[in-house]
Amino acid sequence: QITLKESGPTLVKPTQTLTLTCTFSGFSLSTSGVGVGWIRQPPGKALEWLALIYWDDVDLYSPSLKSRVTITKDTSKNQVVLTMTNMDPIDTGTYYCAHSNPRAFDIWGQGTMVAVSS
Amino acid sequence: SYDLTQTPSVSVSPGQTASITCSGDKLREKYVYWYQQKPGQSPVLIIYQDNKRPSGIPERFSGSSSGNTATLTISGTQAMDEADYFCQAWDSSAVVFGGGTKLTVL
């Protein structure tokens, strides 16, 4: 059974860097074709893709956020980490990590709410 | 940037067929994925590669694609199908989501 869980701060101040960790089980990020992505959702709004990392270390980023976002993986710990710099109140929302196989997000974490406020 | 356009809201009576569309330039050349999201819950993949259903997804959910429009069809809509639905596609090496459609069953 595949599960993913996001963890990190619930509140960050403007200009700070956000670091979120996705801890997963039930699959390995060293298996061919597998990836883990990050998607966020402002309250009451649409899903927005942020980044995706694959088993072979290929990493993809949203063009609009590429300058602010970094995704890394630790295969031995079954974790994927997202960092987002220069946080702003408009970045407030729920952040999800999801398993990708490899082009669809077939299993999602429960999400973690992040508020950006001084 | 690539955009996927969805009608913000659709209403359907119980037992009727609901159609939710997703439009994008040259969408016929891309695979489309559909997600269902109920209030307070994480999205669930319900259609992949235009028309395939993951294990456990009811047969009343189906997908199709023609021209620049993909359609999610829910046959015999039930009250439990009331949710937000998002389409997704790939544009080169980037994932794109549609703006979402709120399905109301009344």
Side-chain angles (χ1 to χ4, degrees):
Chain A
Q1 178 191 6
I2 291 175
T3 63
L4 306 97
K5 187 173 184 178
E6 307 85 352
S7 59
T10 57
L11 177 66
V12 298
K13 297 183 186 306
T15 76
Q16 286 187 337
T17 294
L18 171 69
T19 300
L20 294 174
T21 300
C22 176
T23 303
F24 56 85
S25 62
F27 68 95
S28 171
L29 245 184
S30 59
T31 300
S32 178
V34 172
V36 172
W38 285 93
I39 303 99
R40 70 178 179 180
Q41 185 174 36
K45 296 190 176 181
L47 301 171
E48 179 183 19
W49 172 68
L50 303 177
L52 176 56
I53 191 163
Y54 284 112
W55 85 100
D56 57 357
D57 293 326
V58 169
D59 52 4
L60 305 175
Y61 295 95
S62 165
S64 63
L65 292 167
K66 187 172 184 175
S67 63
R68 298 175 53 207
V69 173
T70 302
I71 189 170
T72 59
K73 66 182 178 70
D74 186 329
T75 303
S76 64
K77 292 183 178 180
N78 281 355
Q79 291 182 333
V80 171
V81 175
L82 179 84
T83 59
M84 182 178 292
T85 62
N86 194 25
M87 293 291 285
D88 183 273
I90 63 169
D91 296 313
T92 292
T94 299
Y95 286 70
Y96 298 97
C97 64
H99 174 272
S100 176
N101 76 337
R103 304 281 277 181
F105 297 109
D106 58 346
I107 307 292
W108 295 60
Q110 64 187 29
T112 186
M113 179 64 192
V114 178
V116 184
S117 174
S118 55
Chain B
S1 64
Y2 188 79
D3 293 322
L4 292 173
T5 301
Q6 295 183 242
T7 303
S9 63
V10 169
S11 297
V12 64
S13 300
Q16 298 304 302
T17 296
S19 296
I20 297 171
T21 60
C22 173
S23 301
D25 186 41
K26 298 182 180 179
L27 190 57
R28 64 186 175 279
E29 300 176 6
K30 310 176 189 295
Y31 278 133
V32 176
Y33 307 82
W34 289 95
Y35 301 85
Q36 176 193 65
Q37 186 180 32
K38 296 182 179 180
Q41 298 184 17
S42 302
V44 173
L45 178 69
I46 56 173
I47 295 290
Y48 66 99
Q49 293 181 357
D50 292 344
N51 54 23
K52 298 179 173 64
R53 277 180 290 105
S55 174
I57 301 302
E59 291 184 4
R60 64 179 181 274
F61 291 94
S62 63
S64 62
S65 185
S66 177
N68 290 334
T69 301
T71 302
L72 171 69
T73 301
I74 310 173
S75 304
T77 306
Q78 300 182 9
M80 68 172 66
D81 300 330
E82 187 163 286
D84 293 327
Y85 292 86
F86 297 93
C87 61
Q88 176 234 310
W90 282 79
D91 178 45
S92 184
S93 297
V95 174
V96 180
F97 285 99
T101 297
K102 181 177 180 60
L103 177 68
T104 301
V105 182
L106 40 69

